[in-house]
Amino acid sequence: MGFSCGIVGLPNVGKSTLFNALTAGHVPAENFPFCTRDKNVGIVSVPDERLQQIARLAPREKLIPTTMEFVDIAGLVKGASKGEGLGNQFLAHIAEVDAIAHVVRCFDQSDIVHVYGKVDPVRDIEVVETELILRDLDLLRKWFSKNEKGSKTGTDKKLKESVSLVTKWVESLNQGILLSKVSLSHEETLLAEGLRLGVITAKPALYVANISEADLKTPSLILAKLEKWRRDRGAPLVKISSRVEAELSELSKEEQNDFTKELGMPCSGLVQLIQRGYELLGLITFFTIGDKEIRAWTIPKGSDAPRAAGKIHTDFERGFIAAETIAFNDFVHCGGEQGGREQGKLRLEGKNYVVQDGDIIKFRFSV
């Protein structure tokens, strides 16, 4: 199972430039709306220094990082929920991803046209989110009209609970509240997962402020407005200059480090975006050390050992016996597997063990 993050926003906010830098791809990034008509998909390695640290204690031929999928989705405009600007097609692409990275333009540059003539990040967010809300409302109302009568006349308890949940959702959307902000009980969460309605506004989202290079050192009034909105709403925000990131993507690792230091950045904005996207999806990493490779694997937080084993191969999950496990910090502190074994840090875990981020695991199985 792969995990994907869709890059969305208005036209001409820098989505494709950002996607190109992320994936070192060649998506057109021209100065006109709807340049990107089809979705573009790129697989991106998740930066993790722990791979190198493990390799120093257990050298292998290959280091294989875990990955995330980023999807560049064409720009939405007002009226997209009614089909404006190829809106139906674009909204369908958003419905397919697991999380949303909402790119917002915060740079004022006369040679790059803004679809509404003036840069206003908060207004732009509201335009896009309104279209997502309208799309979900339309979807839920259609479902409601098909199922309301049956819930009143029949004895299907689950259908009645589903209608109650959808009613709650519709009321929230009518108030302009994204479904990701609506509190659900454990039972409602399970019900929502079972319904598989494909509501977009229930997806976890973060905001990406596309800023000028000058903003990296001295934030503009435009960026300050977005920062205030973010604080008031408690929304996750990553600040990136897509032009700077495009330049960085052309440099060697050493040159990238020098450039980011010169700009006063702890690391590239793209690294921050990838890591925040990973966190947003509630993912963790575990590691395996084979004869020839050290590999990172992605699983949802809270996964048990057999599910983690199944990430490697279905036979591992089906015939799971035990997981020989050592925490990453223990592995490093003990100088590797042998030291961990001697100091009692290497554990044998069973089917109920919940894998922790950074665990180094060797699975025992029989089929």
Side-chain angles (χ1 to χ4, degrees):
M1 176 184 176
F3 300 94
S4 59
C5 186
I7 301 173
V8 307
L10 292 175
N12 279 6
V13 296
K15 297 185 304 302
S16 292
T17 303
L18 188 64
F19 180 83
N20 285 347
L22 267 170
T23 62
H26 302 284
V27 181
E30 305 296 338
N31 180 23
F32 57 89
F34 311 119
C35 168
T36 308
R37 288 175 175 267
D38 299 313
K39 65 178 181 180
N40 297 288
V41 180
I43 306 299
V44 179
S45 296
V46 177
D48 197 325
E49 292 181 359
R50 292 176 296 184
L51 268 175
Q52 282 73 28
Q53 290 178 265
I54 294 170
R56 281 196 283 271
L57 296 169
R60 295 295 188 272
E61 289 178 24
K62 285 184 183 178
L63 301 184
I64 304 176
T66 189
T67 59
M68 265 191 69
E69 183 179 276
F70 279 87
V71 184
D72 178 28
I73 297 168
L76 289 171
V77 292
K78 189 173 182 179
S81 58
K82 304 299 180 187
E84 291 292 327
L86 305 178
N88 292 333
Q89 180 183 338
F90 302 162
L91 287 164
H93 291 159
I94 300 173
E96 294 170 356
V97 300
D98 300 306
I100 294 170
H102 186 160
V103 181
V104 190
R105 178 173 166 177
C106 292
F107 63 89
D108 200 357
Q109 195 170 325
S110 59
D111 62 328
I112 298 181
V113 179
H114 190 288
V115 72
Y116 293 122
K118 183 182 177 183
V119 176
D120 183 339
V122 174
R123 176 209 57 207
D124 292 353
I125 288 172
E126 290 171 351
V127 167
V128 172
E129 291 190 345
T130 295
E131 294 307 317
L132 301 185
I133 286 171
L134 290 172
R135 180 267 185 191
D136 279 356
L137 270 173
D138 184 55
L139 183 76
L140 293 177
R141 283 168 179 161
K142 286 176 180 174
W143 184 94
F144 191 85
S145 65
K146 286 180 183 177
N147 294 281
E148 182 193 18
K149 188 175 180 181
S151 71
K152 290 180 178 177
T153 58
T155 57
D156 188 338
K157 183 184 175 185
K158 189 173 180 180
L159 180 60
K160 290 181 179 180
E161 290 172 346
S162 298
V163 167
S164 176
L165 172 63
V166 170
T167 301
K168 177 178 179 177
W169 271 352
V170 169
E171 288 173 352
S172 298
L173 290 170
N174 277 327
Q175 295 173 48
I177 300 171
L178 302 179
L179 297 185
S180 59
K181 302 297 182 184
V182 178
S183 297
L184 299 182
S185 66
H186 178 65
E187 292 74 17
E188 286 175 325
T189 300
L190 294 176
L191 197 62
E193 290 172 355
L195 284 173
R196 296 180 182 275
L197 289 174
V199 282
I200 293 174
T201 60
K203 297 179 186 296
L206 63 83
Y207 300 88
V208 182
N210 189 7
I211 60 179
S212 67
E213 184 175 335
D215 275 332
L216 290 170
K217 293 184 177 179
T218 309
S220 65
L221 292 175
I222 294 172
L223 180 57
K225 180 178 181 180
L226 180 60
E227 284 276 20
K228 182 181 184 305
W229 176 90
R230 179 197 73 81
R231 288 193 298 272
D232 292 344
R233 188 159 166 170
L237 178 70
V238 178
K239 289 169 279 190
I240 290 178
S241 169
S242 60
R243 285 201 165 184
V244 168
E245 298 299 333
E247 290 177 37
L248 282 169
S249 68
E250 302 289 331
L251 302 177
S252 68
K253 187 74 176 174
E254 189 177 331
E255 289 171 325
Q256 286 181 17
N257 291 337
D258 290 341
F259 195 10
T260 53
K261 283 179 184 175
E262 187 182 319
L263 292 169
M265 298 165 63
C267 61
S268 84
L270 293 183
V271 169
Q272 296 177 56
L273 174 58
I274 294 165
Q275 291 173 339
R276 291 295 292 275
Y278 199 72
E279 293 167 8
L280 188 69
L281 286 163
L283 304 175
I284 63 168
T285 300
F286 74 91
F287 302 94
T288 56
I289 303 174
D291 292 335
K292 295 184 177 181
E293 65 182 37
I294 300 169
R295 184 162 185 160
W297 303 87
T298 301
I299 53 172
K301 190 175 182 179
S303 296
D304 59 26
R307 185 176 180 185
K311 182 73 178 179
I312 300 171
H313 198 286
T314 52
D315 284 351
F316 283 33
E317 183 172 10
R318 193 170 77 247
F320 179 88
I321 296 174
E324 202 171 277
T325 307
I326 182 170
F328 169 77
N329 287 338
D330 289 336
F331 183 88
V332 173
H333 181 72
C334 297
E337 182 181 326
Q338 186 57 38
R341 194 183 300 277
E342 291 169 357
Q343 295 183 46
K345 298 297 184 180
L346 198 67
R347 316 179 309 274
L348 208 58
E349 301 287 0
K351 290 184 177 181
N352 295 326
Y353 175 67
V354 176
V355 176
Q356 301 300 302
D357 184 53
D359 277 352
I360 300 166
I361 304 177
K362 184 183 293 181
F363 293 104
R364 297 183 184 179
F365 68 101
S366 175
V367 290

